[in-house]
Amino acid sequence: MTVHEAEGDVGALFHRAGTWADMTTWHERVAQIRRTDPILRVDTPGYAPFWVLTRHADVLAVSRDNVRWLNTPRSVLGPDEDWQRILDGGMPVPASLVHLDGAKHRAHRAVTNDWFKPAAVRHRQPRIDELADLFVERMRQLGGSCDFAQDIAQPYTLRVIMDIYGVPEEDEPLMMDLTQGIFGAADPEYLGDAGDPGERMTASVMQFIQYFNDLTDDRRACPADDLATVIANGEVDGGPMGDIERLWYYIIVATAGHDTTSFALAGGMEQLARTPDQLFALAGDDEAVVNAAEEILRWTSPVRHFMRHATEPMAIAGVDIPEGGRVLLSYPAANRDEAAFADPMTFDVRRSDADRQVGFGGGAHFCLGAQFARRELRTMLHRLSRELTHVELAGEPEWALSHFVSGVKHLPIAYRMR
Ligand code: HEM
């Protein structure tokens, strides 16, 4: 089936920011699409046609075939006109890990890979513990009610990543603002003074460039034990990393590392506040906490998509995709596929299939920071399950409007602590 704007534009579910404000409806509609058109061709004004993959097996298969499916600089969906305008506006062609392919991607990923391996991340656990303690204490000081997304999830996840990055605490608000300019520019709350999302995104990238150029100079002159130093001095194929690749490297680590995890934690907390017994049952049970974090990742899927481009004519479940055709990997859809998960629309921290979640993608581009994200979630869940004796929603959750990275951005809760 081809979906046109005139037919109700089902494709808007995947590209229009506003449709991400109500995830219950989104999932109901997408479940229907998965049943009738699991490989959905979208032909909508302003976009070259693309196909949406909504099934777990298809998302995983394409993610793992990094030879016939490439990321390319356009690995995030946007209106074709915006793309040209952004480049004309002077933004360097995207060249971060999610925009590179093949040997070039492998060589660049190798620059920081050691920092993200399980043993290296384990080594950081004491610091993650310290920061989690700090934010649990902040909850105590807030005296029984807070906006969990803004007061706890955002600053905690931001602090963990900026700490290993080597970005000083006073620059964290700037990092947050610029990240929102790239991931969530379509949300009026994040648009700022910019006229439109494209303008906001270009301005954010330019400001990041300025900031990271200064940081590079600093870390080349005075190397430190942090990720900024590794990127500043990174070598690829025996020579220094290219300027553009280095800048985009900084940007992806600075952006991908916190908004994602923050949306996962806030969205998980929303569900736990609705079913608090699930939270309290985690207290002191390490295995259950590990499983709960996977269920939160499945349920929230804060990265909404990435694109892949066919290097040759391909067929997925009988649907032909021409050479150069592009598919949208819908992680939230795949994570609610009834063929992969029992009773997928139920949030259940004890489910036995939670570890099949594909919220971190798969194949060569599998999320570099997955071990950090998992540890951040588990570390906070450990504490919340022990320290809270009561928690409930104290208002309606509000969702960030973005078709790329989004989730619960305001979560009013009321709680009591031990
Ligand atoms: C809940 C939290 C997170 C989620 C849901 C998430 C999700 C993802 C997804 C879906 C991808 C693309 C995978 C693919 O194309 O197959 C990705 C890539 C990436 N993520 Fe994460 N991520 C999270 C946290 C983090 C953290 C904490 C970092 C730390 C810096 C990070 C850094 C990256 C980087 C650098 C890439 C690009 C990897 C590559 O292309 O080789 N992410 N992430």
Side-chain angles (χ1 to χ4, degrees):
M1 183 176 93
T2 300
V3 180
H4 294 281
E5 185 88 9
E7 293 167 15
D9 197 8
V10 185
L13 284 168
F14 303 95
H15 67 75
R16 191 170 298 153
T19 63
W20 297 90
D22 171 4
M23 288 309 286
T24 306
T25 307
W26 192 91
H27 278 298
E28 279 167 13
R29 294 186 66 194
V30 172
Q32 183 60 33
I33 291 172
R34 193 169 41 243
R35 279 190 285 273
T36 54
D37 296 284
I39 293 113
L40 176 77
R41 184 175 195 270
V42 176
D43 190 355
T44 197
Y47 296 80
F50 58 93
W51 285 261
V52 178
L53 307 189
T54 50
R55 293 194 302 206
H56 186 272
D58 296 332
V59 166
L60 213 48
V62 169
S63 299
R64 287 175 174 163
D65 184 347
N66 303 108
V67 173
R68 291 184 301 171
W69 292 101
L70 299 183
N71 280 37
T72 84
R74 292 192 69 180
S75 56
V76 176
L77 182 69
D80 298 334
E81 198 182 88
D82 275 16
W83 172 251
Q84 199 46 53
R85 207 154 42 91
I86 285 170
L87 296 184
D88 292 347
M91 188 179 91
V93 174
S96 79
L97 293 182
V98 288
H99 306 106
L100 302 178
D101 289 293
K104 190 167 180 187
H105 169 254
R106 281 193 295 280
H108 283 80
R109 187 160 163 134
V111 170
T112 58
N113 206 27
D114 284 353
W115 276 68
F116 292 97
K117 284 187 175 154
V121 180
R122 202 176 315 124
H123 175 68
R124 303 266 159 190
Q125 184 63 46
R127 184 64 181 142
I128 302 176
D129 283 335
E130 247 174 65
L131 294 174
D133 284 340
L134 191 80
F135 283 96
V136 169
E137 192 46 39
R138 182 175 290 183
M139 273 182 89
R140 208 179 292 283
Q141 286 162 3
L142 288 167
S145 67
C146 71
D147 177 343
F148 185 83
Q150 294 290 317
D151 296 330
I152 307 299
Q154 264 195 11
Y156 161 62
T157 52
L158 186 63
R159 185 77 52 88
V160 172
I161 288 302
M162 293 306 155
D163 197 62
I164 62 158
Y165 216 158
V167 169
E169 204 175 316
E170 65 265 24
D171 293 342
E172 286 175 8
L174 176 68
M175 295 291 118
M176 192 69 227
D177 179 62
L178 300 184
T179 301
Q180 287 166 344
I182 291 181
F183 282 175
D187 190 317
E189 187 174 340
Y190 301 145
L191 189 59
D193 299 332
D196 63 62
E199 189 185 315
R200 167 84 158 113
M201 185 170 161
T202 307
S204 300
V205 170
M206 297 317 236
Q207 235 182 312
F208 260 136
I209 288 177
Q210 174 69 52
Y211 183 89
F212 287 127
N213 271 338
D214 294 347
L215 195 65
T216 300
D217 292 344
D218 182 76
R219 293 307 198 276
R220 284 181 176 167
C222 318
D225 178 26
D226 59 30
L227 202 48
T229 301
V230 176
I231 298 175
N233 299 287
E235 295 206 343
V236 170
D237 300 331
M241 207 186 323
D243 286 344
I244 301 292
E245 284 79 7
R246 193 182 62 255
L247 287 169
W248 280 107
Y249 216 125
Y250 281 124
I251 291 177
I252 194 171
V253 176
T255 53
H258 57 93
D259 237 19
T260 48
T261 322
S262 158
F263 284 134
L265 182 56
M269 190 60 181
E270 182 207 355
Q271 291 308 309
L272 293 169
R274 292 184 191 280
T275 54
D277 288 347
Q278 295 208 60
L279 174 65
F280 303 140
L282 300 177
D285 186 340
D286 286 356
E287 255 179 59
V289 165
V290 167
N291 205 64
E294 295 308 298
E295 174 65 347
I296 286 175
L297 290 159
R298 182 188 78 86
W299 185 264
T300 58
S301 295
V303 174
R304 305 312 201 180
H305 81 276
F306 270 110
M307 307 297 290
R308 295 291 191 270
H309 301 75
T311 57
E312 57 185 81
M314 300 292 288
I316 305 177
V319 174
D320 289 327
I321 296 169
E323 181 180 341
R326 56 195 187 144
V327 294
L328 180 149
L329 310 179
S330 177
Y331 305 114
N335 274 336
R336 299 288 178 98
D337 183 351
E338 38 286 88
F341 303 98
D343 195 9
M345 299 298 174
T346 299
F347 177 80
D348 175 6
V349 296
R350 298 259 167 191
R351 66 167 54 247
S352 59
D353 47 20
D355 62 355
R356 301 192 69 197
Q357 64 87 16
V358 286
F360 290 128
H365 291 275
F366 179 80
C367 175
L368 185 65
Q371 303 307 329
F372 268 110
R374 287 182 160 132
R375 266 181 194 268
E376 288 173 55
L377 292 175
R378 294 171 192 166
T379 307
M380 193 46 101
L381 285 175
H382 264 299
R383 283 160 177 75
L384 295 176
S385 60
R386 265 194 336 244
E387 299 297 324
L388 290 174
T389 56
H390 173 86
V391 60
E392 63 180 326
L393 292 183
E396 275 305 303
E398 247 188 84
W399 295 76
L401 306 183
S402 166
H403 75 304
F404 177 35
V405 175
S406 57
V408 174
K409 66 173 178 178
H410 293 292
L411 184 69
I413 57 167
Y415 53 88
R416 288 192 293 276
M417 299 179 80
R418 260 178 232 294

